[in-house]
Amino acid sequence: MRDRISKDRYEPAYAQLAAILRRRIAEGVYPPGEKIPSESAMSKEYGLSLMTVRQAIGVLMEQGLLERIQGSGTFVKPLKLTESRFDLDSLREIFHDPERTQVKVLQINLTRADPKTAEILQLPPHARVILIRRLLLRDGQPVMFHEGHIRCDPRRPVVEAELSLGPLSDLFNGQGTGTAKKGELIVLPALLGEEDAALLNRPVGSPAFRLEYTVYDFDDVPFGWGWFTAPPEVMRLKTKLGLWEER
Amino acid sequence: MRDRISKDRYEPAYAQLAAILRRRIAEGVYPPGEKIPSESAMSKEYGLSLMTVRQAIGVLMEQGLLERIQGSGTFVKPLKLTESRFDLDSLREIFHDPERTQVKVLQINLTRADPKTAEILQLPPHARVILIRRLLLRDGQPVMFHEGHIRCDPRRPVVEAELSLGPLSDLFNGQGTGTAKKGELIVLPALLGEEDAALLNRPVGSPAFRLEYTVYDFDDVPFGWGWFTAPPEVMRLKTKLGLWEER
DNA sequence: AAGTGGTCTAGACCACATG
DNA sequence: ATGTGGTCTAGACCACTTG
């Protein structure tokens, strides 16, 4: 109870309270599964308004440390491996600095849709599509392979951005100014085939991630799909959960 | 401007406003990258308090649809594949119903730590550890393989839960009542080796996920590590981003 | 019935970005 | 200087859970 919120400080009150609660959880004062003091109790104890207390709890909820149960209380959440979340941070680095990243276009064609592409893009068989295959290099070393299929739509100005030699930033850092409304992604384990392995300069049959995507425009029409192939060193799916130092 | 918040309704005002904004984004009224009306403007327009408007925006921010930039405005966020997040929902199903899930213990030993285990668990070479190897079955079909190494600590009552035949729920649905403070996980692509393949009843060399974990107790001492091997059908890493119907 | 979280208001002042 | 989001208050009433 000796913890206080200092008013005259750069750190907002809700953040201070969140830090206090976080520390108490780490010290075992509030063990996993247990209830923490009620919002009104903390409001009085620290001289904060209810909304501020709630904001502090909100912070720790986003971090997966607390759980609110209406009418019953706020509880310390035990670790659940099934609730872990992975993101593609490791790829962000790559696409965010054009200094070290180069793109080598292997192939770019106006061609006819194969059956799978026709199905995914909801096109008649043999409709026209654009096929792109490219290699992503990092400091000159090949790190990722990409194959993409784009609907060939007269209404859309065949998005130069998507064909550009640029750092793919349009696909990964925001679809141009907004052709895409939604997308679907799936990560799969895969083996490097002969071609992939040669391109990426790795042994045939070594394990890699395959990131498949489909993107839809604002009419909910799928306009592109494809995949990236990346070895695990490049695309790390790593996460922490529970109480690590700073978040 | 014809949208209104109806007061007398089961749906909270902030949710109604969030739905309105969501629809406007979907309709292209607020295109990606553009600024939406200011909080005070919406506060006046809909007759809501500022806090309520902020809550609505907060909802859409969590969904990755909006981005607040202090002093500048709130913007519609373009799709960024690198910001997609994957979770282990597919595993949650498995561990949550003991009806269909069985665990078959293949091996359970008090043994000596191998070098890797000693390093990870911060133990002297050849220290005592518990080794568990088990097979997870779903409707009688093998779906997942687990190998775990647990620190053999006299202070801790060798957590029966962890050794139990139970549905592993302690590992995946909350570490008992709270032996674990934090954990680290990494997903890797892998090939099924001879043993794994035989156990899981799959072809040798087929691709699979390997989920490696380490868990720490409240003294920050690592007390267990191990991995799960699962074919992609079992452990789906799939996600959507952008504007799908209901979230 | 009492306690808890969930929603909401009508103000206030501050920090930051932009012109 | 103006407008934006960021924080905060001191109340209020409602919905839910529990004894």
Side-chain angles (χ1 to χ4, degrees), chain B residues 43-195:
Chain B
S43 164
K44 280 174 197 155
E45 169 156 10
Y46 297 103
L48 297 174
S49 90
L50 224 39
M51 291 297 274
T52 305
V53 172
R54 285 182 63 77
Q55 198 174 351
I57 292 174
V59 169
L60 299 183
M61 279 209 317
E62 273 181 36
Q63 298 178 0
L65 296 178
L66 292 180
E67 183 175 20
R68 273 204 278 240
I69 298 181
Q70 177 167 167
S72 162
T74 302
F75 299 83
V76 179
K77 215 167 155 184
L79 278 200
K80 294 186 185 14
L81 297 198
T82 45
E83 291 188 0
S84 44
R85 314 183 91 185
F86 301 86
D87 58 34
L88 299 180
D89 277 335
S90 54
L91 296 187
R92 211 171 316 181
E93 302 169 15
I94 295 182
F95 292 106
H96 267 317
D97 78 27
E99 303 288 320
R100 300 175 53 194
T101 304
Q102 303 91 44
V103 179
K104 185 175 166 188
V105 175
L106 304 173
Q107 185 183 350
I108 175 164
N109 273 127
L110 181 56
T111 176
R112 300 281 173 181
D114 57 89
K116 181 170 181 179
T117 297
E119 189 191 338
I120 294 179
L121 298 186
Q122 298 173 13
L123 288 170
H126 310 297
R128 299 167 135 220
V129 293
I130 296 164
L131 169 65
I132 311 179
R133 286 151 52 84
R134 34 193 175 183
L135 196 59
L136 221 69
L137 302 110
R138 182 82 166 160
D139 298 328
Q141 294 301 310
V143 289
M144 232 171 161
F145 170 74
H146 174 222
E147 176 164 333
H149 305 259
I150 305 168
R151 177 186 275 261
C152 199
D153 192 331
R155 296 172 315 177
R156 282 191 322 118
V158 188
V159 201
E160 344 67 53
E162 234 159 349
L163 308 180
S164 80
L165 294 189
L168 285 192
S169 56
D170 306 300
L171 230 195
F172 265 80
N173 299 328
Q175 282 281 353
T177 35
T179 52
K181 173 185 168 188
K182 60 184 185 182
E184 210 168 6
L185 290 102
I186 183 164
V187 174
L188 294 165
L191 312 186
L192 291 185
E194 297 219 0
E195 191 191 3

Side-chain angles (χ1 to χ4, degrees), chain B residues 179-246:
Chain B
T179 52
K181 173 185 168 188
K182 60 184 185 182
E184 210 168 6
L185 290 102
I186 183 164
V187 174
L188 294 165
L191 312 186
L192 291 185
E194 297 219 0
E195 191 191 3
D196 295 359
L199 288 168
L200 293 175
N201 198 18
R202 316 247 163 185
V204 173
S206 54
F209 283 118
R210 178 180 160 116
L211 176 63
E212 264 190 52
Y213 65 88
T214 310
V215 281
Y216 299 78
D217 65 19
F218 270 81
D219 300 319
D220 288 333
V221 176
F223 71 88
W225 82 282
W227 69 83
F228 294 81
T229 304
E233 310 87 72
V234 173
M235 184 172 146
R236 295 187 313 271
L237 284 182
K238 198 172 178 179
T239 193
K240 296 170 190 285
L241 63 169
L243 277 155
W244 294 77
E245 343 301 317
E246 295 298 325

Side-chain angles (χ1 to χ4, degrees), chain A residues 12-14 49 52 70-71:
Chain A
Y14 79 90
S49 89
T52 305
Q70 175 167 166

Side-chain angles (χ1 to χ4, degrees), chain A residues 120-135:
Chain A
I120 294 179
L121 298 186
Q122 298 173 12
L123 288 170
H126 311 298
R128 299 168 135 219
V129 293
I130 296 163
L131 169 66
I132 311 179
R133 287 152 51 85
R134 33 193 175 184
L135 196 59

Side-chain angles (χ1 to χ4, degrees), chain A residues 81-185:
Chain A
L81 297 199
T82 45
E83 293 189 0
S84 44
R85 315 185 82 180
F86 300 87
D87 57 34
L88 299 180
D89 277 336
S90 53
L91 296 187
R92 210 171 317 181
E93 302 169 14
I94 295 181
F95 292 106
H96 266 318
D97 79 29
E99 302 287 321
R100 299 176 53 196
T101 303
Q102 303 92 44
V103 178
K104 184 175 167 188
V105 175
L106 305 173
Q107 184 183 351
I108 176 164
N109 272 126
L110 181 55
T111 177
R112 301 280 172 181
D114 56 89
K116 180 170 181 178
T117 297
E119 188 191 338
I120 294 179
L121 298 186
Q122 298 173 12
L123 288 170
H126 311 298
R128 299 168 135 219
V129 293
I130 296 163
L131 169 66
I132 311 179
R133 287 152 51 85
R134 33 193 175 184
L135 196 59
L136 221 69
L137 301 113
R138 181 82 166 159
D139 297 328
Q141 294 300 311
V143 290
M144 233 171 160
F145 170 74
H146 174 224
E147 175 163 334
H149 305 258
I150 305 167
R151 177 187 274 262
C152 200
D153 192 332
R155 297 172 315 178
R156 282 191 323 117
V158 189
V159 199
E160 344 67 53
E162 233 159 348
L163 309 180
S164 80
L165 295 188
L168 286 193
S169 57
D170 306 299
L171 229 195
F172 266 80
N173 299 327
Q175 281 282 354
T177 36
T179 52
K181 173 185 169 189
K182 61 184 184 182
E184 210 169 5
L185 290 101

Side-chain angles (χ1 to χ4, degrees), chain A residues 29-70:
Chain A
V29 180
Y30 306 140
E34 291 295 294
K35 181 153 63 168
I36 68 170
S38 77
E39 298 179 350
S40 62
M42 291 195 285
S43 164
K44 280 172 197 155
E45 168 155 9
Y46 298 101
L48 298 173
S49 89
L50 262 180
M51 291 298 274
T52 305
V53 172
R54 285 181 65 76
Q55 198 174 349
I57 292 173
V59 169
L60 299 183
M61 280 208 316
E62 273 180 37
Q63 298 178 359
L65 296 177
L66 291 180
E67 183 176 19
R68 272 203 278 238
I69 299 181
Q70 175 167 166

